[in-house]
Amino acid sequence: MGIEKHQAIFDRNVSTAKAFFNGFVESDIEAQMDMIADDLEYLPASYNGNVWLGKEEFRQVVQYFIDTFDDIIFTEGLGRTREESCGFFGGSAYPADAD
């Protein structure tokens, strides 16, 4: 797979992540859930006896964050502060001009 293909996948994934994060900013859970597969299966961050959960449980977690935290924002990058950030999401592909 050529670098152009990797870059296109990277750009698409960043765009998807930004759109999902924006759902928190805008408190738009419907837009977020539209991006999630109906057959989602995941293990939550807290131990639950290794029971796989589905989309409805994931929706409840997202709704909890929207309901509980005010002014959720996301800042791109890997640094601890905006000034330290390199401006890119983590991953195995970065734009060619990234330092």
Side-chain angles (χ1 to χ4, degrees), residues 42-91:
Y42 80 103
L43 291 171
S46 59
Y47 181 72
N48 73 341
N50 293 325
V51 175
W52 288 94
L53 302 177
K55 185 175 181 175
E56 183 53 38
E57 291 86 2
F58 184 74
R59 179 189 183 90
Q60 291 169 11
V61 171
V62 171
Q63 189 66 57
Y64 169 81
F65 277 89
I66 289 172
D67 292 345
T68 305
F69 301 101
D70 294 329
D71 301 322
I72 297 176
I73 61 168
F74 289 90
T75 303
E76 291 182 36
L78 304 174
R80 293 172 293 175
T81 66
R82 183 177 298 236
E83 292 76 25
E84 293 178 356
S85 172
C86 64
F88 299 106
F89 288 91

Side-chain angles (χ1 to χ4, degrees), residues 23-43:
F24 285 109
V25 175
E26 300 294 327
S27 298
D28 189 352
I29 194 168
E30 296 308 323
Q32 289 175 294
M33 291 302 103
D34 285 348
M35 290 184 250
I36 304 300
D38 291 336
D39 60 353
L40 169 76
E41 291 184 336
Y42 80 103
L43 291 171

Side-chain angles (χ1 to χ4, degrees), residues 1-12 92-98:
M1 184 181 309
I3 188 69
E4 294 84 16
K5 179 91 171 167
H6 283 289
Q7 185 64 53
I9 292 168
F10 176 82
D11 291 343
R12 185 188 70 224
S92 60
Y94 291 89
D97 60 353

